[in-house]
C-alpha cells in the first residue's frame, strides 16, 4: 500500500471524514487551549496545561481510532482493551508534557522542543494503538516509512509550537492550527502505508478483545464527552474574559460615584461623533454645566450630602434627558452632548430641561437643597471642530453663565469669553509668580504742597512676567481678587514695603494699598504688627490705603480691623475718594487719618469746573474733620497751583515723579 491507496482504497470514507473532522476541531481546540497556557500564570496555567494535555491527547487518540475503524481489511480483527486504554494514557501524558514545555515563559528553543515532543507523543500513541490492533494476519512494517512518519510528526509539531508561541501576525494562530492538523494526519497515514498484512488464518485472536463496533462506540462517546468539555472550558474562559473586559471597560468609562460616563469616554465619543460628522456638515451642541451652591452643601453638610446630591442629579439627568449623552467631567461639572437637533431652539429647550431637572429640590436627611445650574453651550462646527476646543469653549461660556443672574443658559461668544480665558491664564501665571517671587514694588513720591518737599512714598506693585514683561496692577489685581490670592499677595507687599521704608530717614512715610479681601480677614492687624516688628518700622510711618469697596464689603469687620490698626498707631488713608457711592457716611464712621482724592478729579481740575468743585468741597470737608488731604494724579503746574490755593496738603503725581524702583526711591530720600 502507498500513501495514496491507503487514503482512497484502504479506508471507509465515512470514517475517514469523521477522523478528519475530529482532527480539525481538535486542532482548533488544542491551539486555543495552549494559547491560554501561554497567556496565564500560576495555578491557572497549571490548570490550562492539564486541560490542553487531556484534550490534545484525546484528539490524537480519537483521530487514530476513528481512522482505524474505517481501515478496510477483509480480515477478522479486533482490539485489545488494555492496550487501547494504554494508548489513550500515552497520548494524554505525552501531550500534557508537551503543553508544559510549550507553556514555559521562555524564548528559548524549549518551546519548539515542546512541539517536537508533541509530535513524538503522537507517534507513541500511534505505536501503542497499533499494538492493540489484533488481526488475523502477519504484520510487517517498512521501517524507513515509519521513520518518515515520525519525522513528519516532529517537524509539524515544531512548526505548531513555533507559530503558536512566536506569532508575527494574528494569522499565525491559524498556521499553528494547520500544523497540528497536518502533523496528526500525515503521521497517521504515512505510518499506515508502512504496514504490510499477510493473511494468516492460523493467527491467534485472543478472547476478551473488543470488536470494531464496540471500539467505535467507545471512541465516539469518549470523544464527544472530551470535546464537549474542552469546548466548555474554552467557552467559560472566553466568556469570563469577555465579562472581565466589559467590567473593566465600564470602570474605565464611567464615574464610580454617579455611574455616568466619565471624561475619558466623553472625549472618545465626542471625537468619534465629530469624525463621522466632518463630511455631513451636521451640527452638534456641547453643553457644559455645574451645580450652583454645591460647594456650600459640601462644606456645611459634609461629603455624604454632596455625594448624594451628585447621585440624585445624575439619576435625574440620565433618566430624563433623552437624545443627549451625559458625562461627569469633574467635581460638580457635567457635560451633555446633543447630537441631533433642528434649530438653536432645540438646544435651548434641551438645556432648559437639564436646568429644570437640577433645579428641583433635593431632600437629604430632612434638609432640602435647592441647587441650580449654569450652562455654557458651544456648537460644532461654528465654535470649534475638536472635542477639546468645544469643551473648553463651552466651559468658558459656563463661567460667564455663572455670573449672569438673568440667564442659566449662555452660548459661547468669542468676544466676551476670550476675555475670561486670558483672565484664567493670568490666574495660573499669578500662582507661579507668587511662588517664584516675580513681583517688584515701585514707590511713588508724595510731596508737601507748600514746600514741595518729599514726605513719603506710596508702594505700588509691579509684576515682571517672564514672557509678557511688566504687568500693571490694574491688569492683575482684579484677577488675584477673583481667585482669592489677594491676602497672600498683599502680605508680601506689606512686609517688603515696611522693610524698604525702614531704610529711609525716619521723616519719610510709606503708604501701602490694602484690598477688600485683606480687610475682611480677621488676622490683618496681626500681619501688620508682625511686618512692623520684623522691619523695625515705627507704626506711625506706615499708612494703609483703603478703598470704599473694602469697607462696604463687611462694615462690622472692617470697622473692627480699622480700629485695631488705629490703636497700633498705623495711619489710615481713604483711597480713591469720590469714586464710591457713600463717601460721606464712610468718612463719618471710619477713623481715617487722610483722604486721597481720586486722580480722575485731579488731572482735569483746571479744565473741568465739576472736578474743581468736587476737589474743593473735599478739601473743605477734610479741614472740618481735621484730617489732611492728598490729591492723586497731579500732572501739571496748573493743577498744583489750584490745589495750593484751596489748601490741599499733599500731592502725588507725574508732575513730581512717576513711581520709581526701590533703589531710586532710596536715592531720593538721601
Ligand atoms: P491707587 O492706589 O489709586 O494708586 C495710584 C495709581 O495712580 C497708581 O497706578 C499710580 O501709578 C497712578 N498715578 C500716580 N500719579 C499719576 C498721575 O499723575 N497721572 C496718572 N494718570 N496716574 C497716576 P498703578 O500703580 O497702576 O496702580 C493702580 C492701582 O492698583 C492702585 O491705585 C491700587 O488700587 C492698585 N494697587 C497697586 N499696588 C497695589 C497693592 O500692592 N495692593 C493692592 N491691593 N492694590 C494695589
Ligand atoms: Mg493707593
Ligand atoms: Mg488711588
Amino acid at each position: 500500500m502507498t500513501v495514496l491507496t491507503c487514503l482512497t482504497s484502504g479506508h471507509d470514507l465515512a470514517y475517514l471524514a469523521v477522523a478528519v473532522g475530529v482532527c480539525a476541531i481538535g486542532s482548533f481546540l488544542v491551539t486555543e487551549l495552549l494559547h491560554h497556557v501561554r497567556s496565564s500564570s500560576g495555578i491557572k496555567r497549571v490548570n490550562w496545561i492539564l486541560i490542553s494535555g487531556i484534550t490534545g491527547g484525546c484528539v490524537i487518540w480519537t483521530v487514530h481510532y476513528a481512522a482505524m475503524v474505517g481501515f478496510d481489511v477483509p480480515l477478522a480483527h479486533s482490539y485489545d482493551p488494555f492496550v487501547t486504554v494504554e494508548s489513550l494514557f500515552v497520548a494524554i501524558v505525552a501531550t500534557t508534557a508537551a503543553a508544559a514545555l510549550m507553556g514555559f515563559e521562555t524564548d528559548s528553543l524549549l518551546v519548539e522542543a515542546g512541539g517536537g515532543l508533541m509530535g513524538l507523543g503522537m507517534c507513541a500513541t500511534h505505536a501503542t494503538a497499533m499494538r492493540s490492533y489484533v488481526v488475523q494476519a502477519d504484520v510487517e512494517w517498512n521501517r524507513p516509512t515509519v521513520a518518515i512518519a515520525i519525522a513528519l510528526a516532529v517537524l509539524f509539531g515544531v512548526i505548531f509550537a513555533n507559530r503558536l508561541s512566536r506569532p508575527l501576525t494574528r494569522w499565525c494562530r491559524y498556521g499553528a492550527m494547520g500544523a497540528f492538523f497536518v502533523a496528526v494526519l500525515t503521521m497517521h497515514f504515512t505510518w499506515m502505508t508502512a504496514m504490510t498484512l499477510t493473511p494468516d488464518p492460523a493467527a491467534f485472536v485472543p478472547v476478551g478483545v473488543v470488536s470494531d463496533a464496540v471500539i467505535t462506540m467507545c471512541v465516539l462517546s469518549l470523544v464527544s464527552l472530551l470535546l464537549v468539555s474542552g469546548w466548555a472550558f474554552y467557552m467559560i474562559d472566553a466568556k469570563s474574559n469577555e465579562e472581565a473586559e466589559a467590567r473593566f471597560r465600564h470602570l474605565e468609562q464611567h464615574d464610580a460615584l454617579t455611574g455616568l460616563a466619565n471624561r475619558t469616554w466623553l472625549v472618545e465619543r465626542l471625537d468619534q461623533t465629530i469624525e463621522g460628522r466632518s463630511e455631513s456638515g451636521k451640527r452638534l451642541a456641547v453643553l457644559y454645566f455645574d451645580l450652583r451652591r454645591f460647594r456650600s452643601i459640601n462644606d456645611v453638610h459634609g461629603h455624604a450630602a454632596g455625594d448624594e446630591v451628585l447621585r440624585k442629579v445624575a439619576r435625574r439627568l440620565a433618566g430624563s434627558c433623552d437624545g443627549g449623552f451625559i458625562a461627569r467631567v469633574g467635581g460638580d461639572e457635567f457635560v451633555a452632548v446633543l447630537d441631533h437637533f433642528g434649530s438653536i431652539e432645540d438646544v435651548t429647550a434641551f438645556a432648559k430641561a437639564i436646568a429644570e431637572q437640577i433645579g428641583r429640590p433635593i431632600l437629604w436627611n430632612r434638609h432640602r437643597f435647592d441647587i441650580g445650574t449654569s450652562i455654557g453651550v458651544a456648537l460644532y462646527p461654528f465654535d470649534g471642530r475638536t472635542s477639546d476646543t468645544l469643551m473648553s469653549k463651552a466651559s468658558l461660556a459656563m463661567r460667564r453663565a455663572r455670573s449672569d443672574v438673568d440667564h442659566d443658559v449662555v452660548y459661547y461668544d468669542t468676544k466676551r469669553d476670550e476675555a475670561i480665558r486670558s483672565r484664567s491664564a493670568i490666574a495660573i501665571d499669578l500662582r507661579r509668580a507668587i511662588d517664584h517671587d516675580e513681583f517688584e514694588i515701585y514707590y511713588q513720591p508724595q510731596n508737601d504742597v507748600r514746600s514741595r518737599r518729599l514726605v513719603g512714598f506710596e508702594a505700588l506693585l509691579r509684576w515682571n512676567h517672564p514672557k509678557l514683561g511688566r504687568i500693571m496692577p490694574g491688569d492683575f489685581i482684579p484677577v488675584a481678587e477673583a481667585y482669592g490670592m489677594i491676602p497672600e499677595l498683599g502680605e508680601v507687599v506689606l512686609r517688603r514695603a515696611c522693610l524698604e521704608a525702614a531704610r529711609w530717614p525716619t521723616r519719610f512715610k510709606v503708604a501701602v494699598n490694602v484690598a477688600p479681601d485683606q480687610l475682611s480677614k480677621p488676622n490683618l492687624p496681626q500681619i501688620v504688627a508682625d511686618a512692623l516688628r520684623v522691619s523695625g518700622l515705627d507704626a506711625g510711618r506706615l499708612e494703609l490705603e483703603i478703598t470704599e469697596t473694602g469697607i462696604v464689603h463687611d462694615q462690622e469687620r472692617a470697622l473692627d480691623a480699622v480700629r485695631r490698626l488705629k490703636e497700633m498707631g498705623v495711619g489710615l488713608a481713604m483711597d480713591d475718594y469720590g469714586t464710591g457711592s457713600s463717601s460721606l457716611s464712610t468718612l463719618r464712621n471710619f477713623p481715617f487719618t487722610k483722604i486721597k482724592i481720586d486722580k480722575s478729579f485731579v488731572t482735569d481740575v483746571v479744565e473741568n469746573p465739576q472736578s474743581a468743585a468736587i476737589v474743593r468741597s473735599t478739601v473743605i470737608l477734610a479741614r472740618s474733620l481735621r484730617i489732611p488731604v492728598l490729591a492723586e494724579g497731579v500732572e501739571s503746574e496748573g493743577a498744583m497751583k489750584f490745589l495750593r490755593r484751596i489748601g490741599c496738603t499733599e500731592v502725588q503725581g507725574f508732575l513730581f515723579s512717576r513711581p520709581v524702583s526701590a533703589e531710586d526711591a532710596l536715592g531720593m530720600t538721601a
Side-chain angles (χ1 to χ4, degrees), residues 427-497:
I428 293 167
D429 285 0
L430 257 180
R431 187 64 263 160
R432 192 207 52 219
I434 293 177
D435 297 337
H436 289 68
D437 191 21
E438 290 170 7
F439 296 102
E440 191 179 355
I441 300 175
Y442 266 52
Y443 296 88
Q444 187 176 31
Q446 298 178 329
N447 295 65
D448 181 77
V449 172
R450 292 196 168 279
S451 66
R452 288 182 163 260
R453 279 219 198 101
L454 180 69
V455 292
F457 296 88
E458 177 180 5
L460 294 161
L461 196 55
R462 303 288 181 261
W463 176 10
N464 295 318
H465 192 287
K467 284 206 198 93
L468 304 176
R470 169 154 303 167
I471 304 183
M472 299 304 274
D475 293 326
F476 67 85
I477 295 270
V479 181
E481 247 161 7
Y483 285 83
M485 297 177 188
I486 276 290
E488 202 177 336
L489 197 56
E491 193 178 328
V492 172
V493 177
L494 188 69
R495 286 180 187 281
R496 281 233 237 132

Side-chain angles (χ1 to χ4, degrees), residues 169-244:
T169 65
R170 63 199 174 93
W171 299 107
C172 288
R173 205 132 131 198
Y174 300 103
M177 280 177 207
F180 187 89
F181 179 81
V182 173
V184 174
L185 292 181
T186 53
M187 183 277 296
H188 178 87
F189 291 109
T190 313
W191 198 306
M192 291 306 285
T193 59
M195 186 168 73
T196 317
L197 296 174
T198 318
D200 177 7
F204 171 68
V205 176
V207 257
V209 293
V210 291
S211 68
D212 261 7
V214 174
I215 207 89
T216 310
M217 282 295 296
C218 291
V219 164
L220 289 182
S221 41
L222 184 72
V223 153
S224 5
L225 261 176
L226 283 163
L227 287 186
V228 165
S229 60
W231 183 259
F233 274 121
Y234 168 68
M235 286 312 283
I236 287 170
D237 185 68
K239 190 85 199 147
S240 63
N241 272 354
E242 208 174 90
E243 278 168 10

Side-chain angles (χ1 to χ4, degrees), residues 458 460 513 545 575-576 596 632:
E458 177 180 5
L460 294 161
N513 292 284
E545 296 192 0
D575 202 358
D576 301 345
K596 292 186 78 175
E632 284 185 323

Side-chain angles (χ1 to χ4, degrees), residues 9 70 144 155 202 224 234 236 249-250 266 287 303 321 371 387 437 460 501 526 614 651:
S9 59
L155 173 69
S224 5
Y234 168 68
I236 287 170
R249 263 197 91 69
H250 187 89
L266 169 77
L287 293 79
H303 288 280
C321 299
I371 49 172
S387 58
D437 191 21
L460 294 161
Q526 187 56 47
I614 289 172
V651 284

Side-chain angles (χ1 to χ4, degrees), residues 133-154:
Y133 187 61
V134 186
V135 62
Q136 252 187 342
D138 208 23
V139 185
E140 244 182 79
W141 296 99
N142 178 325
R143 286 177 187 276
T145 314
V146 171
I148 292 175
I150 295 174
L152 282 172
V154 172

Side-chain angles (χ1 to χ4, degrees), residues 99-154:
L101 262 184
M102 287 167 63
F104 261 119
E105 236 167 324
T106 167
D107 277 339
S108 72
L109 290 176
L110 226 59
V111 172
E112 276 79 7
L117 182 61
M118 180 84 82
L120 286 176
M122 293 173 190
C123 299
T125 312
H126 190 91
T128 317
M130 287 315 292
R131 272 204 292 116
S132 76
Y133 187 61
V134 186
V135 62
Q136 252 187 342
D138 208 23
V139 185
E140 244 182 79
W141 296 99
N142 178 325
R143 286 177 187 276
T145 314
V146 171
I148 292 175
I150 295 174
L152 282 172
V154 172

